[in-house]
């Protein structure tokens, strides 16, 4: 089920498109306050101050009262509950696509101001009564909206609209008479629609208002615009920025005239396929850069890493996130389907070029293909991707090795015609040994060019003597010998960096990671990387991030061998940087990394946004680092990665299965206490993913560890969570025993909240087992505990459990006395499920008391509630109701 939350207008909660009733008053206000600060911890004192405007009725009981409001709200929200308890307070955990405020900011950040403005449905939070809210929070939101309106109108004016905007702008200046940008827009719209005199009159109106109300003149920009309109010299509007992501193509591109011609005549989706190193990316980039001006809305590029030997191909969901970021979308949905849908929506009506490089399979790219005629898609792959031909009418272009003349031309561009003419046989053998592969030819030529006085035949002789085993899986020739020419020309520092880059576990890296890997400063790492880029040994496909071609990575790994010191440096750098990000997200950590042992300097983060962005960008690297740490026996470092990544899982739901795999990889690591905490997290993940048997086994092992380590609070919390799982599995007797254990720990710790939750479960399970006399005894104690807490909702739950037992024991008058108030309380808390059960039991008791009319009223209400919750139960009760009536 999908929940949606709206604050840009009346407060609304929807579950699968249907409204969820939120109790008015403080529940309404609490939800509004939390949603205005999505995914941010609100401390208890902050919330008390907001809910009672600085004057709670009883300061000594404020925290308990807030807890009751929170519980009431969570019950009302039901499956739409987004409120989570954190140390010291509460947080509304929502995905970017669930809250209209986050979507509004994402659209605004991407430059789609029209879509952002369209999300507003009226007066913000107009149905929430709160002086402090409308005094302190709403004005800031209104200002955000007005700023977006200004930017949207800027864009409209830049696109040539003028007269169409006049009516809207007259309304805006009437509503906001002192907001000068709207007056500027109105003057421009009037002038550009041929009404110069009215534009000048608008300026005079504003000038009079400002003088009368504030005693000031219009701002300098407005005064300058006034003069420009007087002189009829208004400057044209500015051009909106568009994405231009195509990397630089290779130098000295030669040949491929036929293939370039095919690219020029094709439309829609085109696949360029061929073996590695044959020049697919070079061809795609050469053509794309030549035609990029035909695509005024920009160009996007992603390397899909389809055949990198060190990493898995990039997940399509991650690719969609990258593309949306390139299109300016700041808040990307967590769900894969939501990302794909938003990507298609964002690309509609755009004339844009999309280059997907190095695809592993059709499955990797199919979700990314837009249904937009103006978007040209170019895909490169070692596979033919035939599914794209059948499903998207794609054009395929097979790329073969360069013919001799084209290959010789490539060498001649670097080495010169004279040098090749002097040794034609050597030139021919070089082409043959490079197999006509542009990658090998370029690397070879760059190396040879450094030795202009050495005959080519000497290099050929060395090539003949090289072993032919390293790349036999790729070609019938040994391209390692070709790569060696460029490598040998490097200075010692650059050569060392090249070798060490093969130690990096993930697919790409930034300069800080490279600095940690090599144990050098960031400035030095940047200099060395740029040297390697210049020698075609390292690629840079996006600003600040680098990578190696998979063949060059294999060559570098052969040269480097196993460098454990470098592996430790990069592992510690990623782990400690991740920990810094996690501490920004939540400053309390039960498990921490301790001191850095390898002298690396982990990155720090100035904001939560930066921390989350880094984690998203490096998730695949962190996974790779985890498995390297496991393989090398660095258990402590390994267990910290999923431990800290768990804090970011609410924002990365598509990664939950990967998170389970990471937790499984380290579940035997650490102390008993740490294993207990980790396994409790894994058990909840299993349950969320529907792996109930795995969850059960994990809970049992986790509880053993926390029990042995004396973590009694964690043990009680785990037992309460386990109870719900056992009931779901039909193991009610075991669930009852588990509840008793949790209650005992609650008593031992004097933790009334823990005890009340456990005793609530005890009464419920006894009723399920038909042990109603015992359920009455259990609920008596539970009611005493809940009364101490002053928790109205939990009290209603206890009375409902007690009432169910009384009905089944034939004590109908007593049952009616508790079930009626319980049903009313559930209605107040908007807990339809609990209310319907209470009403059904109430009707049964009323029938036995011969109060059939009252029973019919109760059952009719229960049937109405069941209609929305469980159609089978609704029909069964409706049949009994028909017999009653």
């Amino acid at each position: 089920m999908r929940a949606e939350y709206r604050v840009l207008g009346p407060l609304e909660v929807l579950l699968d498109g249907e409204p969820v009733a939120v109790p008015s008053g403080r529940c309404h206000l609490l939800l509004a306050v939390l949603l205005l600060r999505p995914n941010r911890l609100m401390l208890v004192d902050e919330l008390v101050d907001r809910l009672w405007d600085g004057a709670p009725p009883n300061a000594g009981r404020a925290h308990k009262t807030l807890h009751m409001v929170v519980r009431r709200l969570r019950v009302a929200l039901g499956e739409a509950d987004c409120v989570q308890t954190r140390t010291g307070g509460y947080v509304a955990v929502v995905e970017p696509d669930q809250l209209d405020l986050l979507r509004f900011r994402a659209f605004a950040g991407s430059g789609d101001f029209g879509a952002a403005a369209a999300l507003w449905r009226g007066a913000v939070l107009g149905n929430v009564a709160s002086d402090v809210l409308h005094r302190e929070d709403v004005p800031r939101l209104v200002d955000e909206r007005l700023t977006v309106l200004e930017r949207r109108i800027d864009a409209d004016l830049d696109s040539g609209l003028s007269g169409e905007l006049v009516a809207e702008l007259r309304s805006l200046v009437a509503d906001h008479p002192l907001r000068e940008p709207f007056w500027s827009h109105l003057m421009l719209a009037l002038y550009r629609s041929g009404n110069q005199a009215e534009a000048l009159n608008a300026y005079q109106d504003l000038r009079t208002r400002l003088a009368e109300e504030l005693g000031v003149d219009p701002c300098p920009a407005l005064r300058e615009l006034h003069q420009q309109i007087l002189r009829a010299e208004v400057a044209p509007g500015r051009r909106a920025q568009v994405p231009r992501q195509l990397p630089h193509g290779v130098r000295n591109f030669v040949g491929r005239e036929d293939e370039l011609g095919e690219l020029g005549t094709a439309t829609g989706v085109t696949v360029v396929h061929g073996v590695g190193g044959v020049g697919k990316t070079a061809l795609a980039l050469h053509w794309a850069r030549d035609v990029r001006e035909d695509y005024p809305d920009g160009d996007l590029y992603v390397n899909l890493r389809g055949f990198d030997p060190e990493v898995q191909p990039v997940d399509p969901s991650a690719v969609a996130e990258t593309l949306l970021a390139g299109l300016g979308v700041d808040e990307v949905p967590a769900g894969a389907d939501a990302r794909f849908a938003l990507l298609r929506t964002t690309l509609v009506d755009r004339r844009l070029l999309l280059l997907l490089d190095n695809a592993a399979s059709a499955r990797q790219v199919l979700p990314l293909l837009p249904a937009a005629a103006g978007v040209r898609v170019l895909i490169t792959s070692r596979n033919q991707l035939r599914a794209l031909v059948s499903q998207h009418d794609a054009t395929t272009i097979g790329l073969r090795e360069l013919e001799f003349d084209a290959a010789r031309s490539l060498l001649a561009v670097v080495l010169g015609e004279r040098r090749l003419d002097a040794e034609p046989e050597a030139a021919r053998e070089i082409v043959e040994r490079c197999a006509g592969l542009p990658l090998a030819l370029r690397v070879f030529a760059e190396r040879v060019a450094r030795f202009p006085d050495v005959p080519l035949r000497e290099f050929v002789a060395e090539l003949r003597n090289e072993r032919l085993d390293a790349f036999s899986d790729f070609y019938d020739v040994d391209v390692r010998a070709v790569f060696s020419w460029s490598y040998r020309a490097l200075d010692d520092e650059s050569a060392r960096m090249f070798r060490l880059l093969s130690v990096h576990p993930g697919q790409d890296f930034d300069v800080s990671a490279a600095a940690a890997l090599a144990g050098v400063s960031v400035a030095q790492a940047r200099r060395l990387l740029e040297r390697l880029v210049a020698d075609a040994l390292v690629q840079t496909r996006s600003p600040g991030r680098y990578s190696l071609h998979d063949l060059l990575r294999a060559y570098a790994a052969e040269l480097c061998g196993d460098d454990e010191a470098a592996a430790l440096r990069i592992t510690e750098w990623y782990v400690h940087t991740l920990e810094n990000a996690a501490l920004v997200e939540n400053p309390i950590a039960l498990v921490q990394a301790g001191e850095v042992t390898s002298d690396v300097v982990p990155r720090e983060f100035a904001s939560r946004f930066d921390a989350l962005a880094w984690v998203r960008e490096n998730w695949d690297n962190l996974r790779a680092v985890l498995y390297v740490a496991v393989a090398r026996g660095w258990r402590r470092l390994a267990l910290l990665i999923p431990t800290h990544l768990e804090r970011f899982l609410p924002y990365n739901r598509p990664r939950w299965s990967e998170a389970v795999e990471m937790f499984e990889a380290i579940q035997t690591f650490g102390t008993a206490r740490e294993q207990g905490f980790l396994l409790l997290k894994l058990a909840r993940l299993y349950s969320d993913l529907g792996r109930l048997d795995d969850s059960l086994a994990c809970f049992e092992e986790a509880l053993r560890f926390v029990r042995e380590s004396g973590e009694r609070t964690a043990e009680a919390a785990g037992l309460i969570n386990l109870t719900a799982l056992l009931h779901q599995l039909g193991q009610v007797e075991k669930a009852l025993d588990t509840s008793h254990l949790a209650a005992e720990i609650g008593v031992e710790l004097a933790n009334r909240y823990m005890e009340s939750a456990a005793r609530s479960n005890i009464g419920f399970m006894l009723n399920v087992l038909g042990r109603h006399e015992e359920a009455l005894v259990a609920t008596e104690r539970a009611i005493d505990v809940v009364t101490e807490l002053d928790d109205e909702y939990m009290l209603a739950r206890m009375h409902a459990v007690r009432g169910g037992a009384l009905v089944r024991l034939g004590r109908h008058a007593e049952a009616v006395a508790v079930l009626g108030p319980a049903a009313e309380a559930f209605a107040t808390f908007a807990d339809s499920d609990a209310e319907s059960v209470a009403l059904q039991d109430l009707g049964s008791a009323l029938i036995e008391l011969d109060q059939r009319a009252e029973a019919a009223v109760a059952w009719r209400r229960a049937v109405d509630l069941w209609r929305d919750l469980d159609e089978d139960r609704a029909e069964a009760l409706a049949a009994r109701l028909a017999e009653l009536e």
Side-chain angles (χ1 to χ4, degrees):
M1 305 187 80
R2 183 180 184 278
E4 183 181 356
Y5 309 91
R6 297 177 178 177
V7 296
L8 303 182
L11 177 65
E12 293 180 356
V13 179
L14 303 176
L15 190 62
D16 285 346
E18 295 297 322
V20 175
V22 179
S24 58
R26 290 196 172 84
C27 282
H28 234 202
L29 177 55
L30 173 63
L31 181 60
V33 169
L34 291 173
L35 289 176
L36 289 181
R37 299 157 182 82
N39 303 312
R40 199 194 96 186
L41 175 68
M42 287 288 290
L43 297 177
V44 168
D45 288 338
E46 290 180 283
L47 289 170
V48 168
D49 187 68
R50 288 280 171 176
L51 265 60
W52 283 276
D53 199 1
N58 184 333
R61 296 173 58 91
H63 289 196
K64 290 184 178 180
T65 307
L66 172 64
H67 175 77
M68 186 180 69
V69 175
V70 171
R71 182 181 295 275
R72 182 183 178 195
L73 172 61
R74 298 187 68 177
V75 170
L77 291 173
E79 292 191 27
D81 180 24
C82 62
V83 180
Q84 292 189 8
T85 303
R86 299 281 173 85
T87 303
Y90 301 92
V91 59
V93 177
V94 294
E95 301 291 348
D97 60 341
Q98 287 183 295
L99 177 63
D100 59 358
L101 176 59
L102 291 178
R103 294 201 303 276
F104 167 81
R105 289 170 175 162
F107 281 132
S110 70
D112 194 347
F113 304 114
L119 290 173
W120 286 72
R121 299 169 291 108
V124 61
L125 298 173
N127 60 340
V128 180
S130 168
D131 290 340
V132 65
L133 186 78
H134 292 280
R135 182 176 67 245
E136 297 185 12
D137 294 312
V138 170
R140 287 195 291 269
L141 275 181
V142 170
D143 191 65
E144 280 190 64
R145 178 196 179 221
L146 295 178
T147 299
V148 163
L149 277 175
E150 291 167 1
R151 301 291 296 278
R152 193 221 84 204
I153 294 168
D154 275 337
D156 288 346
L157 288 167
D158 286 346
S159 68
L161 296 178
S162 52
E164 299 91 335
L165 299 172
V166 169
E168 179 186 10
L169 287 166
R170 288 195 187 281
S171 176
L172 286 171
V173 297
D175 292 339
H176 309 280
L178 302 180
R179 199 169 180 96
E180 292 179 305
F182 288 146
W183 286 97
S184 174
H185 293 145
L186 177 59
M187 292 164 62
L188 277 172
L190 288 167
Y191 174 80
R192 290 176 179 172
S193 58
N195 296 305
Q196 181 183 25
E198 288 189 52
L200 294 172
N201 286 338
Y203 177 80
Q204 294 302 329
D205 287 346
L206 172 63
R207 183 179 181 184
T208 300
R209 286 179 180 271
L210 291 174
E212 291 178 350
E213 298 188 34
L214 301 178
V216 299
D217 289 325
C219 68
L222 264 171
R223 296 200 299 269
E224 176 60 24
L225 177 60
H226 176 242
Q227 290 301 312
Q228 291 173 354
I229 292 174
L230 279 172
R231 298 190 301 267
E233 296 175 354
V234 177
R238 64 182 180 279
R239 182 182 179 184
Q241 185 176 1
V242 297
R244 292 296 184 190
Q245 295 186 347
L246 291 178
H248 291 293
V250 297
R251 295 178 296 163
N252 311 320
F253 184 87
V254 299
R256 307 298 194 192
E257 287 81 6
D258 292 344
E259 291 86 351
L260 289 170
E262 290 184 68
L263 284 171
T265 57
T267 58
V269 178
T270 304
V271 178
V272 177
H273 60 88
V275 298
V278 78
K280 302 180 295 296
T281 300
L283 170 68
L285 288 174
H286 182 78
W287 176 82
R289 293 185 72 85
D290 276 351
V291 302
R292 70 190 314 181
E293 294 305 318
D294 295 338
Y295 298 92
D297 293 322
D299 45 71
L300 299 170
Y301 171 90
V302 180
N303 185 348
L304 301 177
R305 307 285 179 184
F307 299 90
D308 192 319
E310 298 296 325
V311 297
Q312 294 296 314
V314 185
D315 185 85
S317 177
V319 179
E321 180 180 29
T322 300
L323 294 174
L324 287 166
L327 292 164
V329 177
D330 289 333
E331 296 289 345
V332 177
D337 290 340
R339 289 181 180 179
F340 301 144
L342 180 57
L343 179 61
R344 290 191 294 271
T345 299
T346 307
L347 290 173
V348 167
D349 297 328
R350 298 202 189 199
R351 290 184 58 197
L352 182 139
L353 178 63
L354 172 59
L355 175 50
L356 301 174
D357 195 16
N358 199 19
S361 64
R363 181 179 300 175
Q364 189 183 20
V365 297
L366 278 170
L368 307 170
L369 300 182
V375 178
R376 178 70 188 277
V377 182
L378 183 56
I379 303 168
T380 72
S381 178
R382 294 184 190 176
N383 295 327
Q384 295 185 22
L385 309 185
R386 293 177 180 175
L388 299 185
V389 177
S390 60
Q391 297 182 35
H392 283 269
D393 196 25
T395 301
T396 62
I397 300 175
L399 208 58
R400 300 181 61 81
E401 296 81 357
L402 290 173
E403 298 291 341
F404 174 77
D405 289 342
R408 186 186 182 284
S409 296
L410 194 157
L411 290 174
V413 169
V414 181
L415 302 176
E417 286 284 356
R418 183 177 300 177
R419 194 172 182 185
L420 296 182
D421 287 342
E423 298 183 80
E425 292 305 317
R428 178 173 292 278
E429 188 168 351
I430 290 168
V431 171
E432 290 174 353
R433 288 193 172 275
C434 290
L437 295 172
L439 174 65
L441 287 164
R442 286 191 177 88
V443 172
F444 178 87
E446 291 291 341
R447 170 73 173 94
V448 172
R450 297 180 183 278
F451 303 92
D453 298 328
V454 178
L456 292 179
R457 62 179 177 274
E458 293 190 18
F459 295 117
V460 173
E462 290 185 33
L463 282 174
R464 290 172 185 157
N465 294 330
E466 290 290 336
R467 300 192 314 273
L468 300 177
D469 56 351
F471 293 89
S472 58
D473 289 341
F474 296 107
Y475 308 107
D476 295 331
V477 296
D478 187 358
V479 297
R480 180 189 57 208
V482 177
F483 295 156
S484 71
W485 306 128
S486 185
Y487 171 74
R488 291 175 188 175
L490 296 172
D491 60 83
D492 290 345
E493 286 184 313
S494 299
R496 176 175 177 269
M497 175 65 84
F498 175 69
R499 295 192 303 271
L500 291 177
L501 289 177
S502 67
V503 178
H504 186 274
Q507 58 185 345
D508 62 0
F509 49 89
D510 62 18
V511 66
S512 297
L517 184 65
V520 299
S521 68
V522 171
Q524 188 177 3
R526 183 176 288 108
R527 176 178 62 79
L528 296 175
L529 288 172
E530 291 304 320
R531 167 66 194 278
L532 295 173
V533 169
D535 283 2
L537 293 174
V538 167
Q539 299 170 312
T540 176
R541 296 302 191 195
S542 61
R545 297 195 73 82
Y546 302 85
S547 63
L548 274 71
H549 190 285
D550 51 2
L551 300 183
L552 286 164
R553 178 187 286 273
Y555 174 60
E558 184 181 84
L559 293 170
C560 184
D562 182 23
D563 192 321
E564 184 167 299
L568 178 61
R569 286 195 298 270
I570 196 62
T571 301
E572 284 206 319
W573 184 82
Y574 271 113
V575 167
H576 284 268
T577 299
L578 173 61
E579 181 164 290
N580 289 344
L583 291 174
V584 171
E585 176 68 17
N586 184 342
I588 299 173
L590 295 174
V591 182
Q592 295 193 11
E595 296 296 324
V596 176
T597 65
S598 59
D599 296 326
V600 293
V601 180
R603 179 174 170 179
E604 297 186 357
F605 302 93
S607 69
R608 179 177 166 276
F609 175 83
D610 291 340
L612 180 57
W614 184 86
V615 169
R616 282 177 169 165
E617 189 171 51
N618 289 280
W619 180 284
D620 291 323
N621 288 342
L622 291 163
R623 285 182 67 210
V625 169
L626 165 69
Y627 294 116
V628 167
V630 171
R632 290 186 177 273
W634 298 334
R635 298 161 70 94
R636 180 72 183 173
L637 292 170
L639 75 86
L640 287 162
I641 293 176
T643 298
H644 292 324
L645 277 179
E646 190 265 343
R647 300 190 181 196
F648 299 94
L649 288 179
Y651 318 111
N652 291 281
R653 286 189 178 179
R655 303 282 197 168
W656 282 10
S657 294
E658 295 175 358
V660 165
E661 293 172 3
M662 287 190 276
F663 272 111
E664 289 174 338
I666 53 89
Q667 61 183 322
T668 61
F669 295 1
T671 65
R673 171 180 176 271
E674 291 166 344
Q675 288 185 45
F677 290 147
L678 292 172
L679 290 171
L680 285 175
K681 294 176 180 180
L682 178 57
R684 289 195 296 272
L685 269 173
Y686 280 144
S687 180
D688 289 339
L689 291 171
R691 297 173 57 177
L692 303 186
D693 291 337
D694 290 331
S695 179
L696 177 59
C698 197
F699 264 125
E700 291 173 346
E701 190 173 7
L703 287 166
R704 177 172 62 84
F705 280 121
V706 295
R707 189 177 298 118
E708 290 174 359
S709 57
E711 292 289 341
R712 300 291 277 168
T713 301
E715 182 183 356
L719 288 167
I720 290 170
N721 289 329
L722 175 59
T723 298
L725 174 65
L726 291 169
H727 178 246
Q728 194 174 356
L729 289 168
Q731 300 182 29
V732 183
E733 288 280 6
K734 194 171 182 179
L736 177 61
D737 294 340
T738 302
S739 299
H740 278 296
L741 289 175
E744 290 171 8
I745 297 174
V747 172
E748 172 191 327
L749 299 176
N751 187 323
R752 291 290 182 261
Y753 290 105
M754 202 75 74
E755 183 186 353
S756 67
R759 292 194 182 282
S760 171
N761 288 337
I762 290 171
F764 178 81
M765 297 303 165
L766 286 169
N767 262 347
V768 172
L769 291 167
R771 295 159 58 179
H772 306 301
E773 290 285 3
E774 295 175 67
L776 289 181
V777 175
T779 55
E780 286 175 3
R781 172 56 183 155
I783 288 171
D784 290 340
V785 175
V786 173
T787 302
E788 291 178 24
L789 295 174
D790 194 21
D791 189 326
E792 293 180 7
Y793 175 77
M794 185 60 75
L795 189 62
R797 295 283 296 184
M798 289 297 93
H799 282 311
V801 172
R802 184 175 181 80
L806 290 168
V807 169
R808 287 152 186 83
L809 290 169
R811 295 161 60 176
H812 301 112
E814 295 175 70
V816 169
V818 294
L819 286 170
E824 292 176 5
F826 289 138
T828 302
F829 286 106
D831 187 341
S832 299
D833 195 355
E835 183 185 357
S836 57
V837 172
L839 287 169
Q840 185 166 345
D841 284 342
L842 176 61
S844 298
L846 289 169
I847 289 172
E848 297 299 327
L849 294 172
D850 201 27
Q851 300 179 30
R852 301 175 67 84
E854 292 85 347
V857 171
W859 277 5
R860 200 174 296 116
R861 169 64 177 161
V863 168
D864 290 341
L865 292 170
W866 281 126
R867 296 285 187 202
D868 296 327
L869 299 170
D870 188 327
E871 188 63 34
D872 290 340
R873 296 180 74 171
E875 291 302 323
L877 185 57
R880 294 179 63 189
L881 177 61
E883 295 176 2
L884 177 64
E885 296 179 329

